[in-house]
Amino acid sequence: MWQDFRWGAATAAYQIEGAAREDGRGPSIWDTFSHTPGRVRGGDTGDVATDHYHRWREDVELLSALGAQTYRLSISWSRVQPGGSGPLNPKGVAFYRELLDALRSRGIAPIVTLYHWDLPQELEDAGGWPVRETAYAFAEYARLMARELGERVALWTTLNEPWCTAFLGYASGVHAPGRTEPAAALAAAHHLNLAHGLATEAIRAELGEDTPVSIALNLHVTHPADPESAADLEAVARIDAVGNHVFLGPVMDGSYPARLLRDTAHLTDWSFVRPGDLVTARQRVDVLGVNYYSTQLVRRHDGEGPAPRADGHGASAASPWVGADDVELLPVPPPHTAMGWNIRPDALEELLLALDNAYPDQPLMVTENGAAFDDELSADGRVHDTARVAYLHSHIAAVLRAREAGVDLRGYTAWSLLDNFEWSYGYAKRFGIVHVDYETLQRTPKDSALWYRELIRTGRLPTVEEAAALPPLDADDADDAGRDASPAAP
Ligand code: FCB
């Protein structure tokens, strides 16, 4: 089925599920982190989140009414295997089984991410991603999920944005577990590459060699402050190595870029890379997932003191850019979203074309793209999120241009179906195409959801202006969503 282009929406377990201590779920590093004072804005936690664990039927109806052809979700590892190793929690497994069955019965293909940042706390207590055993534990968890959920899953994704896991989690510490140890972050990156390879092997050993597997990377599009400056171009190359090729290298080519090893030689000798690891990391990737939001602007730092670091990845005295201390990450010019991230749809096209050029036979999918804005419920009961509609319009147009140009694109999943727990920003940042009232947990599709439904339904890109006049979603839409018609892309 991955020959076609499919439209969908994405979420992640810790950001939406809630029910943090229910039905046998064990704690993850995000439970610990969010409950540590000062780590998450406003002291917000995922204890309740959008309460998806109890309201998932309603959320499946929403997806169905949208006409979604895919739904990208993640499994909470500590819900299905509370300690990260050892016995499964039958209630946790049953939750995902029921959810996947409901999706499939609506004709929605589930794209299941095994790891969207919520490591079981016990594994972190044993050393976390900087230790090799975590990769083996992950592969065993992947094998068990393949056995338990098997054919219910249309496309497996091993890891979501391993860059964030390794470098925000272990270098800058703005994400769980909040450690600031640059050498450990590099070891974490390697063990994530190994984990991806081992898990892919495990899934295919359970379900067959043809089983489609993917990985979702947040690939940084980095531009030089002065395109004529060799020093600035060198700064771009540094960020490209530690931001992108640290994962693309092993996963796609079976090697680390030489310059990454050089740039980080003062921190580690990379002896955690064992013979055979890079062969393991390089498995057939049926779909390479691309998460894209904004761009970065860099310059070589020749000033005094620490280089400025306006990279949109949260404030910390420690840098996530390991081995790139002499690179300045400059404030990016407007327009910006509520995250302060710049809006550059052309750079998404640039990224897709560059990937296609580097890996011509590799199918791609945009697995995350979207924007936070300060939405308001209007007197008419609607959320007229025109800025988000405009963001989606321009970025989807860029995706379609790349597709026209011959890039093998298999789909687009908007981030996010629902407003949710935006990591260290808590509930302050709203990315949903569906609004969530955190007092009542009521869901209200925003104009962007209605616009997206119109796009899926008609197979054409509606204008931004059309959005406000589109009729609300209602239950009947679920029946005539048109998913059975041949999958449409304008
Ligand atoms: C990505 C994450 C996702 C969400 C968006 C805004 O980095 O994968 O969970 O937080 O950013």
Side-chain angles (χ1 to χ4, degrees):
M1 73 169 291
W2 299 108
Q3 301 314 314
D4 301 317
F5 187 98
R6 309 215 159 216
W7 300 105
T11 61
Y14 190 71
Q15 296 181 275
I16 64 165
E17 285 181 2
R21 280 175 287 276
E22 246 171 271
D23 288 345
R25 180 181 176 280
S28 82
I29 56 174
W30 269 97
D31 295 288
T32 309
F33 193 75
S34 65
H35 281 272
T36 306
R39 291 304 206 172
V40 174
R41 189 184 289 189
D44 290 347
T45 73
D47 287 1
V48 177
T50 74
D51 197 32
H52 172 76
Y53 188 73
H54 298 114
R55 293 166 197 257
W56 62 269
R57 287 184 185 82
E58 186 187 340
D59 295 336
V60 170
E61 291 313 321
L62 271 173
L63 283 160
S64 185
L66 273 173
Q69 296 156 344
T70 59
Y71 173 48
R72 176 174 182 254
L73 67 130
S74 84
I75 293 177
S76 158
W77 185 349
S78 67
R79 190 182 292 290
V80 295
Q81 194 183 29
S85 61
L88 291 181
N89 170 27
K91 287 190 174 161
V93 176
F95 167 71
Y96 292 107
R97 250 193 221 132
E98 261 195 279
L99 171 60
L100 297 176
D101 284 342
L103 290 165
R104 294 181 72 94
S105 75
R106 301 286 187 293
I108 302 167
I111 302 175
V112 174
T113 302
L114 288 165
Y115 189 76
H116 201 123
W117 306 354
D118 43 358
L119 188 71
Q121 183 61 42
E122 271 189 43
L123 294 183
E124 176 57 29
D125 294 343
W129 285 109
V131 305
R132 192 174 173 90
E133 285 65 30
T134 303
Y136 296 123
F138 179 72
E140 174 60 5
Y141 152 65
R143 188 185 70 76
L144 292 169
M145 289 305 101
R147 191 187 74 192
E148 297 295 322
L149 304 175
E151 72 292 346
R152 290 178 170 86
V153 175
L155 174 64
W156 296 90
T157 304
T158 53
L159 305 172
N160 176 70
E161 302 191 356
W163 185 86
C164 296
T165 301
F167 296 101
L168 300 182
Y170 294 94
S172 72
V174 298
H175 280 183
R179 287 163 59 180
T180 49
E181 304 158 38
L186 293 167
H190 177 64
H191 296 136
L192 285 156
N193 282 319
L194 179 63
H196 160 76
L198 292 170
T200 305
E201 286 180 341
I203 292 166
R204 293 192 177 136
E206 278 293 326
L207 298 174
E209 276 310 305
D210 294 345
T211 311
V213 177
S214 65
I215 182 169
L217 301 178
N218 55 318
L219 296 169
H220 298 87
V221 181
T222 306
H223 295 132
D226 174 2
E228 304 290 311
S229 151
D232 289 2
L233 292 172
E234 160 73 13
V236 170
R238 268 185 186 234
I239 296 298
D240 202 30
V242 75
N244 299 333
H245 287 277
V246 61
F247 299 107
L248 280 176
V251 168
M252 301 299 294
D253 305 318
S255 63
Y256 283 107
R259 76 154 307 141
L260 175 66
L261 307 184
R262 242 182 8 248
D263 290 348
T264 57
H266 59 294
L267 296 167
T268 174
D269 60 6
W270 288 78
S271 56
F272 42 75
V273 182
R274 306 252 179 98
D277 284 3
L278 291 169
V279 175
T280 303
R282 186 188 188 202
Q283 302 290 329
R284 184 188 82 243
V285 173
D286 297 277
V287 178
L288 176 62
V290 178
N291 294 359
Y292 173 83
Y293 292 92
S294 64
T295 69
Q296 310 195 120
L297 189 63
V298 300
R299 178 166 72 196
R300 222 268 292 285
H301 181 56
D302 47 14
E304 301 279 301
R309 198 160 24 79
D311 60 3
H313 288 303
S316 165
S319 173
W321 300 103
V322 171
D325 294 338
D326 59 351
V327 175
E328 295 185 6
L329 288 118
L330 304 169
V332 283
H336 294 144
T337 68
M339 296 295 285
W341 298 349
N342 66 344
I343 302 175
R344 286 288 301 271
D346 56 318
L348 173 55
E349 186 182 2
E350 173 191 330
L351 173 61
L352 295 171
L353 292 171
L355 285 169
D356 185 60
N357 190 41
Y359 314 107
D361 301 323
Q362 178 59 55
L364 308 175
M365 182 185 294
V366 176
T367 35
E368 280 185 33
N369 175 240
F373 290 106
D374 297 326
D375 301 315
E376 275 169 30
L377 266 173
S378 305
D380 64 359
R382 296 262 298 243
V383 178
H384 298 298
D385 59 338
T386 315
R388 183 173 296 100
V389 174
Y391 181 100
L392 293 174
H393 181 281
S394 60
H395 286 75
I396 289 173
V399 170
L400 297 174
R401 284 198 301 275
R403 196 161 169 266
E404 281 286 285
V407 179
D408 185 359
L409 274 158
R410 303 295 171 93
Y412 176 94
T413 53
W415 185 271
S416 175
L417 175 65
L418 301 168
D419 288 338
N420 59 48
F421 176 82
E422 179 46 36
W423 310 111
S424 53
Y425 296 88
Y427 297 100
K429 303 294 177 199
R430 294 178 176 273
F431 275 90
I433 57 174
V434 174
H435 179 271
V436 176
D437 177 327
Y438 291 114
E439 297 292 316
T440 62
L441 296 166
Q442 193 185 329
R443 278 84 162 126
T444 306
K446 303 176 191 177
D447 284 357
S448 53
L450 311 178
W451 179 90
Y452 195 45
R453 173 192 55 177
E454 186 70 0
L455 177 150
I456 299 171
R457 193 177 70 78
T458 61
R460 77 182 167 85
L461 193 62
T463 64
V464 176
E465 292 68 35
E466 277 173 69
L470 290 168
L473 287 191
D474 62 48
D476 293 346
D477 292 334
D479 303 326
D480 55 39
R483 270 178 312 280
D484 293 329
S486 61

